[in-house]
Amino acid sequence: MKPTFYVTTPIYYVNDVPHIGHAYTTVAADVLARYKRLMGFDVYFLTGSDEHGQKVEKAAITAGETPLELADRVVKRYQALWERLGISHNDFIRTTQERHKKGVSEIFSNILEKGDIYLGEYEDWYCTPCETFWPETQLIENRCPDCNRPVEKLKEESYFFRMSKYQQALLDHIETHPDFIQPKSKRNEIISFVKEGLRDLSVSRTTFSWGIPVPGNDKHIIYVWFDALTNYMSALGYPDATPEYQRFWPANVHLIGKDILRFHTVYWPTFLMAAGLPLPEKVFAHGWWTVEGQKMSKSLQNVVEPNMLIDKYGVDAVRYFLMREVPFGLDGDFSHTALVQRINSDLANDIGNLLSRSTAMAVKYFDGVLPSPAELTETDSALKNKTIEMVETVNKLMDELAFSKVLQTIWEVISAGNKYIDESAPWTLAKEPANRERLATVMYCLLESQRITHCVLSAFLPTTAGKALDSLGWIKEITRENLQWGGLSTGTTVTKSEALFPRIEG
Ligand code: ME8
């Protein structure tokens, strides 16, 4: 049986439309899912939408719709964008689906029965945009410490989750599972936060009605984060022992932005501990994108709309930029200039040129029929070895989710390919019939190196890699086994590749 791999994205709120921040997490998860599939894993890749809570209720009122009408309308925009971006998710969960409500009610009841959820009374400052209560001491100038927006005083009867009880167990878990929270800097932040002391957490609301009712007391709506986090399990069929649930839980990695780290590494694991369920293996928090140096926000009118970028630059250019520009885990800045620069240098120049030069030569010198190589010289072996080592290095770096480094490593092989052409000078070899065998070897090495490169790249740039592999005459499925040198068979038809990425002028 294949090993399993379960990767998730956050489920996005439907009160907002998708922007590059959302696309970023989802593309990263897609790259990982595609890579794991080609490495032979049975992958479950989940994304979805977070449709309950006061924020969505308020947005619906403003839009003159019911919350469900709003959700139905906005969720389509996410789904359409994922389709355009080539996202290969296996499932899309909406928190308004019955399967999800059932999972949330079950885990809530389970913890309630065990006594770790109890009824009490709450009075504190509430930030509606963040759906978070804050003690007065944590407010900054009477505003929310996370988003700096005004907070309001709320008093309500509330169910509480006995989070304080799990403080030590959580610290122990983080201690004994060094990879649970990544990157490391974030892990340290969470350790300090937990050490300061965990308070019991209010997990129900009575001030609005858009959500899942507390089982047995429908005056109360389950807290939207309790509801949302459970999606990672309800999508698999929890509480039923479905084959998916049994095979894929616990998740291998939850990919999230740094803004929601605490929910995923303090709330979620303690809920699971209380319910007696296994914890996810890893939570990885990536950084935030600013736009031309500024925070992206509706009020600044600088929200970068992924559809617009795809129209202008193409899907794979956008995917490439997001994964290459910023080391995963750090903050980054989006600018059109930086994107155009990447397209022109890395895509049009390096990878596009290499493929069109090499396939054109294969057509010119061998009528597009791949010749067989003779014995490899030192130069040939150097390219071969670099390609083989790249595959190994990429595998290690993918486990660290170091997407940008993966692409750098791949690009080293591409540069080596371009240098190899210049050094081997096939156009000179072609002038002498006596050099025919040497020319054949050069062509083979050049094309085989790119075949392997594009097989690996297919996780990042599925459309481009597909085109490249077509022109190299590679029609087989991409598997771990055929990432070895020698996969291209002599006699394969090679066709001249059109420019993979046109240069962007101006
Ligand atoms: O938080 N840069 O949903 P959300 C990078 N529903 N990533 C960004 C970003 C930016 N500027 N802005 C947003 C929620 N993101 C909850 C999640 S999960 C159980 C519930 C990405 O629609 C990033 O992944 O506000 C962040 O975590 C997510 O969008 C927040 O999406």
Side-chain angles (χ1 to χ4, degrees), residues 99-100 102-104 106-107 233-234 236-242 245:
R99 59 172 174 162
H100 175 70
K102 183 172 152 187
V104 174
E106 171 62 30
I107 193 168
M233 284 171 58
S234 63
L236 299 176
Y238 171 84
D240 299 331
T242 58
Y245 179 58

Side-chain angles (χ1 to χ4, degrees), residues 460-493:
F460 291 82
L461 312 177
T463 314
T464 307
K467 282 192 212 160
L469 291 169
D470 275 352
S471 76
L472 293 170
W474 175 262
I475 45 169
K476 290 190 207 152
E477 199 193 340
I478 306 169
T479 62
R480 181 180 196 135
E481 290 69 41
N482 57 38
L483 292 180
Q484 285 169 14
W485 188 266
L488 271 185
S489 322
T490 304
T492 302
T493 309

